[in-house]
Amino acid sequence: MVMNSSEQIQAAAKALRPIFEDIDITVKQNLKKVLNAFCHYRVGVHHFTGVSGYGHDDLGRQTLDQVFAKVMGAEAAAVRVQFVSGTHAIACCLFGVLRPGDEMVSVVGAPYDTLEEVIGVRGQGQGSLQEFGVDYRQLDLTAAGTIDWQALKESIGQRTRLVLIQRSCGYSWRPSLSIADIEKIVQYVKQQNPDTICFVDNCYGEFIEDKEPPAVGADLVAGSLIKNPGGTIVTAGGYVAGKAELVEAATCRLTAPGIGSSGGATFDQNRLLFQGLFLAPQMVGEAMKGNHLTAYIFDQLGYPVNPKPMTPRRDVIQAIQLGSPEKLITFCRVIQQYSPIGSYLDPVPAQMPGYESQLVMAGGTFIDGSTSEFSADGPLREPYIVFCQGGTHWTHVAIALEAAIEAI
């Protein structure tokens, strides 16, 4: 008997029940870590009040930085609404740390699209790292899409000031990195040059496992607050975390040398920033369940998926290779139709700042561009992969998938 889409979803959820239970265990571990940090720094309602103007002596912001650092396993952190995006936070780290004549090496192949112009491999005349005399090199992935460990053992020189470790697959068809992978990269790099900074683009990866990159030796990490650590309620911003002097160097690029982390009003956002962090482990858990469900269903339908069904998650992204621009656009249209905001809108391919290819995006989210809420997008290029991200509750993903199955 052929099952309809609702029955397929129900059968998939039943098969995934043991995995859902394991996710709940990880959620509890991460929530306990967050709760312990809140208690350790005695967070109270007085921390919700911000200051105006320059933002000096903002007790709430200072305490949030300490809480965030403890959760990340880092010496220091800076959580700021002034970071426009994860890309902005990453750029502040890179420009804060690198100097003319330094070399940066990407050890996980090509970086995410929006970093290409930051580095200087695409675009010109915008003040990229290469225009400021920073050399760039990347280690290509193996044919299987994994890190070339042998090449990494011999790739770090005395001029290599920083290695870029992109945790998530981004818009590529490769496995995202586990915490164990990141720890191994750090060990290989430090064996060759102990002074090389191991910097992790942590976007989409927070709270997937029970540790974060600084806890396994990463020197500096950065990410967006409208992704995992904002818990789906933070309206804007990003963070950096790691060694104290490196965090300060990054914030000197965000503000100015001599001001660094001491400036930046929080515009009465402190309560949302604290609450978003508290909610984050649960929201990430729901997104992971939605990803598992998506992978399971579309694998059964015969589509290549990454990650594969029933395998551990390493970020909140689930990719499906749809094979045609029509199917990619149709999928995104269905996800938009089953979004709480803007369900009546029709996603069409368009150019986006920072991206090389046209994108089609479904994002009927309460926070504009929030990929911790349920969204789907993909570049209009072969083999036409859609990247599903986030989800505040897996049952919302299930409802949207029922319609997507019928449409595709």
Side-chain angles (χ1 to χ4, degrees), residues 68 72 74 76-79 83 85-94 97 115 162-168 182 197-206 212-214 218-225 227-229 237-243 246-247 250-251:
F68 213 94
M72 287 281 158
V79 184
F83 284 123
S85 62
T87 298
H88 183 201
I90 293 164
C92 286
C93 290
L94 298 178
V97 167
L115 287 181
L162 178 145
V163 295
L164 171 63
I165 306 166
Q166 184 175 297
R167 184 172 179 178
S168 175
I182 293 170
I197 295 164
C198 292
F199 169 63
V200 179
D201 170 359
N202 209 29
C203 288
Y204 304 104
E206 300 91 348
E212 297 299 328
D219 299 299
L220 188 63
V221 301
S224 168
L225 293 180
K227 295 184 175 71
N228 301 15
Y239 73 90
V240 298
K243 292 184 176 178
L246 299 179
V247 170
T251 58

Side-chain angles (χ1 to χ4, degrees), residues 89-109:
I90 293 164
C92 286
C93 290
L94 298 178
F95 280 97
V97 167
L98 293 165
R99 298 291 181 268
D102 286 344
E103 179 188 61
M104 178 176 82
V105 178
S106 172
V107 297
V108 197

